[in-house]
Amino acid sequence: MNLHITNETSRLRAVVLGIAKSNGPIPTLEEAYDPKSKEHIQAGTYPAEEDMVNEIESVAAVLEKYEVQVFRPKIIENYNQIFTRDIAFVIDDKLVKSNILPDRDQEIEAIDHVIRQIAPEKIIRLPEEAHIEGGDVMPMGDYIFVGTYKGKDYKDFITARTNIQAVEALKEIFPNKTVKSFSLKKSNSIARDNALHLDCCFQPVGKNKAIIYKEGFLIEEELNWLIDFFGKEHIYEITRDEMYHMNSNIFSISEEVVISEKNFTRLNSWLRDQGMTVEEVPYAEISKQEGLLRCSTLPLIRD
């Protein structure tokens, strides 16, 4: 397989889509990885497996409609395998295996049938001390944007998934790219104050536009750089509630076609105003785990 990913919006040809079958029992509060899941566990509104299966299969149907080659993980009994974006990411022709939460190690093994199709020298494992998840990594042509948390209290946040060691490791692996890091706000307890990954508060769409939740960024200078990169007139700002519902976590099939949650009425109207085709799917149940469409997809090949 000839991997090729240089950005977030070129025409998609091959992707690994997560799977919700045999998702396991409702986690305990101690087992939850993020504050939004904790909220729904406490409220008794944690999503049912059947609903999540239906939601993710609606995405599979859209991808098949656009003739995208869709790979799925092998099912591990009673194990959450929805968020494939976390476990690995592709930049140019290389697949980088993420160093993620130890409890989730098995997830990468479930896509071994995909990884075996890639030349071994194109598969990269970062040093153990470099923590990273794919939701924090965005290839942008000559740039790689990386969400991170640089505070001395990094280890106190289960919601801090990508550290500065990983940023430095990416600079070494991709010397021809400019690796640009963005410090994100973290909270273990308040979902509306937590940017779990970069794609929870930012995402490029179309040819030169971006969705941004400004309050998700810790450092104003970094945020302003990002706004200047796209230009204010090309930026769609989302609210705290829209960030909570994961409005920035849609997924591009091309510069002209995006998959979005059907309840994102304001965003979907704006996308259509920009001339894009919006394929609406139900995804509100899966979003209760603080992840949405980008989180559920691991792109392998784009034009």
Side-chain angles (χ1 to χ4, degrees):
M1 189 189 299
N2 295 315
L3 301 173
H4 185 259
I5 298 287
T6 58
N7 60 47
E8 292 289 315
T9 55
S10 291
R11 178 63 163 93
L12 182 70
R13 300 297 175 187
V15 67
V16 183
L17 175 67
I19 201 156
K21 294 179 179 119
S22 194
N23 202 60
I26 295 171
T28 64
L29 281 175
E30 294 71 37
E31 290 168 334
Y33 301 133
D34 65 87
K36 196 168 178 187
S37 292
K38 287 177 182 173
E39 268 184 29
H40 288 287
I41 293 164
Q42 284 176 309
T45 51
Y46 194 81
E49 181 178 303
E50 183 184 1
D51 294 333
M52 293 192 289
V53 168
N54 291 337
E55 287 184 346
I56 213 161
E57 294 315 311
S58 70
V59 177
V62 173
L63 293 168
E64 281 154 24
K65 172 182 168 182
Y66 287 91
E67 299 180 344
V68 176
Q69 186 177 14
V70 179
F71 297 93
R72 308 300 292 271
K74 290 198 177 101
I75 294 173
I76 301 169
E77 294 298 320
N78 297 315
Y79 205 73
N80 189 328
Q81 295 175 266
I82 293 171
F83 300 124
T84 51
R85 180 75 64 158
D86 293 347
I87 59 179
F89 52 91
V90 176
I91 297 176
D92 293 345
D93 60 351
K94 296 179 174 66
L95 180 132
V96 182
K97 290 184 175 181
S98 300
N99 284 341
I100 63 174
L101 297 169
D103 292 353
R104 298 182 58 188
D105 276 350
Q106 289 181 59
E107 285 181 69
I108 193 80
E109 294 164 21
I111 62 164
D112 195 50
H113 57 291
V114 180
I115 292 172
R116 281 200 306 269
Q117 298 179 46
I118 301 164
E121 67 272 14
K122 300 291 186 185
I123 298 167
I124 293 167
R125 189 86 207 219
L126 298 181
E128 202 175 323
E129 67 277 6
H131 303 166
I132 196 162
E133 291 187 351
D136 275 323
V137 182
M138 293 200 184
M140 291 288 298
D142 294 333
Y143 289 86
I144 303 171
F145 292 171
V146 187
T148 186
Y149 184 75
K150 302 175 189 139
K152 289 191 170 67
D153 54 353
Y154 174 91
K155 66 180 186 305
D156 298 333
F157 286 102
I158 195 169
T159 51
R161 304 290 174 80
T162 299
N163 62 12
I164 202 65
Q165 289 92 324
V167 175
E168 296 305 321
L170 288 176
K171 287 178 182 176
E172 287 182 30
I173 296 162
F174 300 100
N176 299 326
K177 305 264 188 190
T178 300
V179 180
K180 190 85 183 159
S181 66
F182 300 91
S183 296
L184 306 177
K185 287 185 183 168
K186 301 292 178 182
S187 173
N188 286 341
S189 54
I190 303 166
R192 280 174 169 79
D193 294 337
N194 179 50
L196 188 66
H197 292 125
L198 181 58
D199 61 17
C200 296
C201 56
F202 161 76
Q203 185 164 191
V205 287
K207 287 185 170 64
N208 59 350
K209 297 181 170 57
I211 303 164
I212 287 181
Y213 174 62
K214 288 182 175 177
E215 296 302 314
F217 293 83
L218 261 179
I219 299 172
E220 193 172 357
E221 186 185 343
E222 293 176 354
L223 171 65
N224 290 339
W225 186 95
L226 194 59
I227 291 168
D228 290 343
F229 182 86
F230 287 92
K232 273 183 190 162
E233 68 278 13
H234 296 135
I235 282 180
Y236 177 86
E237 274 190 60
I238 58 174
T239 66
R240 186 170 183 248
D241 269 358
E242 286 170 332
M243 185 279 294
Y244 172 79
H245 291 294
M246 311 293 295
N247 277 231
S248 64
N249 206 275
I250 59 174
F251 183 61
S252 294
I253 291 178
S254 71
E255 290 179 346
E256 294 81 30
V257 182
V258 295
I259 309 178
S260 182
E261 215 285 329
K262 64 185 178 67
N263 294 306
F264 295 171
T265 47
R266 188 173 83 92
L267 172 64
N268 294 344
S269 295
W270 177 79
L271 290 166
R272 290 189 176 104
D273 288 346
Q274 309 309 308
M276 288 181 228
T277 298
V278 181
E279 294 284 355
E280 295 189 359
V281 295
Y283 230 66
E285 292 305 301
I286 285 175
S287 82
K288 291 175 178 179
Q289 297 180 69
E290 210 156 346
L292 205 86
L293 293 154
R294 189 178 186 272
C295 296
S296 313
T297 51
L298 164 51
L300 302 170
I301 302 168
R302 291 186 185 268
D303 288 353

